[in-house]
Amino acid sequence: MTAKEIINLLEARLAGAIDASVSDGMHPHVRVKPGHLIGLCTFLRDDPALRFDLLRCITAVDYPQRNEIELSYDLISIPHVHALGVKVSLDRIGPEIESVSGVWAAAEWHEREALDMMGVKFLNHPDPRRILMPEDWTGHPLRKDYQDPAEYHGWEIKP
Amino acid sequence: MALIEGKLEPGLVTDGIDYILNWARKRSIFPMTFGIACCAIEMMAVGASRFDLDRFGAGAFRATPRQSDLMIVAGTVTFKMAERLRRLWEQMAEPRYVMAMGSCAISGGPYHKHGYHVVKGVDRVVPVDVYVPGCPPRPEALIEALMRLQEKISTHTIARKEDR
């Protein structure tokens, strides 16, 4: 199915969940509110015409000028060979959203990275801890306003 | 060798013992596989057939620190890794040597200015014997570093205890 057909099907079956959509260009995607994410993702995975069974990536992007953190989910379908993106905007102070690791198991580590690097809290996540930085690190390094601490365990950070 | 180290005066006897001990030790250095990042690829290339490391006796890479003499730190050392690196170094039996391979292990490399998670040089974690510059160093450079280490080993003596 082309991106346009996928988005038409979504808008027909899940009216009200889709806020906006982009069907042409390099990255066709739909934009949803955080509350509708789990319903949309379960439908995307289970509907026989769509069958998005592979979550390729979850990316968190920090937009301080819009005061939001945007999560972008990349989905592809192995049987039907089509792809779609799903984007969610979260508030920059205290971003939290439902975890989709119940829908795709791959989400578990991607969401741990979003927590570690951006500070996004995922509700009902089976293993919410840092994945790249040490466990006792403070701060979220990929935020635009991140400042390094002076040192860690005796090793200085800025030489 | 701890039994007779430091007990004999430097002289002909210790020279002879030193010569044989150092000859044996420098020609059978067992490296530990500590390839962390891209320099590991060059280390693998040195261990492979073209730039053979086995002709120096150093081709038997041991996976465990208990059986190895040389830790070649090949790659970027992060804070998370540095704690484990220190622990593995402490598990090596003396005489043990450390080679800092590549610019990341020497001084943090390309991450020296902005790397918030990088130890700026592995010599902040363990004492280093040989530094090999390069990003990554050519296999010939790593072989030269091994030969420099062999020269360093041949200066050791059992007449006075080494502080290692």
Side-chain angles (χ1 to χ4, degrees):
Chain A
M1 294 170 75
T2 63
K4 223 172 184 19
E5 291 168 5
I6 298 172
I7 293 175
N8 287 343
L9 191 141
L10 285 176
E11 281 170 352
R13 299 277 290 274
L14 295 174
I18 313 284
D19 280 351
S21 64
V22 169
S23 56
D24 48 3
M26 300 261 316
H27 186 217
H29 61 270
V30 296
R31 197 170 270 282
V32 295
K33 288 210 174 41
H36 294 133
L37 184 66
I38 295 280
L40 173 69
C41 288
T42 315
F43 179 74
L44 285 170
R45 185 193 60 175
D46 293 335
D47 184 68
L50 297 176
R51 288 292 291 145
F52 282 104
D53 51 355
L54 183 63
L55 170 70
R56 184 162 44 188
C57 193
I58 301 180
T59 310
V61 190
D62 188 17
Y63 289 110
Q65 64 273 27
R66 303 206 299 244
N67 207 24
E68 70 180 23
I69 288 181
E70 185 183 82
L71 286 178
S72 175
Y73 296 74
D74 276 325
L75 310 169
I76 55 178
S77 167
I78 296 178
H80 298 306
V81 195
H82 51 227
L84 186 70
V86 178
K87 293 202 182 193
V88 185
S89 286
L90 305 172
D91 193 37
R92 206 164 172 271
I93 319 275
E96 52 177 57
I97 191 171
E98 284 278 334
S99 164
V100 295
S101 50
V103 183
W104 297 288
E108 196 182 318
W109 277 21
H110 289 283
E111 290 174 349
R112 274 177 69 186
E113 187 181 358
L115 164 72
D116 193 5
M117 294 283 122
M118 288 287 185
V120 181
K121 192 163 176 301
F122 289 93
L123 308 166
N124 302 325
H125 192 275
D127 191 8
R129 58 191 166 110
R130 289 186 180 265
I131 190 170
L132 293 168
M133 305 304 289
E135 294 85 8
D136 53 353
W137 194 267
T138 51
H140 302 284
L142 285 184
R143 287 203 170 207
K144 298 277 192 251
D145 53 359
Y146 175 72
Q147 298 289 334
D148 289 325
E151 53 124 48
Y152 173 78
H153 286 196
W155 295 303
E156 60 176 1
I157 295 184
K158 278 272 183 276
Chain B
M1 296 305 127
L3 282 175
I4 53 174
E5 254 186 65
K7 299 268 187 355
L8 298 171
E9 293 298 323
L12 270 181
V13 175
T14 54
D15 278 353
I17 299 176
D18 286 339
Y19 183 78
I20 295 178
L21 268 184
N22 294 339
W23 177 89
R25 280 184 178 153
K26 74 185 180 190
R27 281 161 195 275
S28 66
I29 303 174
F30 284 2
M32 182 165 77
T33 55
F34 215 82
I36 310 175
C38 357
C39 275
I41 308 287
E42 289 293 329
M43 187 169 70
M44 292 178 216
V46 179
S49 57
R50 180 180 283 221
F51 306 97
D52 191 12
L53 206 55
D54 208 6
R55 58 197 160 118
F56 297 93
F61 281 79
R62 321 302 302 170
T64 163
R66 303 278 184 195
Q67 296 170 3
S68 51
D69 305 307
L70 168 68
M71 184 161 83
I72 306 181
V73 183
T76 319
V77 184
T78 54
F79 290 143
K80 216 169 171 182
M81 191 59 173
E83 316 208 320
R84 283 106 179 132
L85 191 149
R86 177 81 196 183
R87 178 175 283 217
L88 288 175
W89 177 80
E90 287 170 357
Q91 288 177 356
M92 287 168 74
E94 296 183 1
R96 57 187 170 200
Y97 308 97
V98 175
M99 181 192 292
M101 177 182 177
S103 47
C104 284
I106 295 176
S107 67
Y111 309 104
H112 182 79
K113 192 160 176 229
H114 292 296
Y116 52 85
H117 191 36
V118 174
V119 181
K120 307 292 190 289
V122 76
D123 49 8
R124 293 177 189 230
V125 184
V126 294
V128 175
D129 295 289
V130 190
Y131 296 85
V132 196
C135 186
R138 269 200 66 86
E140 290 96 333
L142 188 60
I143 291 177
E144 183 183 348
L146 190 79
M147 293 168 73
R148 293 282 178 99
L149 186 66
Q150 288 180 336
E151 285 171 30
K152 185 170 183 174
I153 293 175
S154 54
T155 63
H156 287 172
T157 173
I158 61 165
R160 251 166 286 295
K161 189 146 174 42
E162 292 287 346
D163 190 16
R164 182 145 295 282

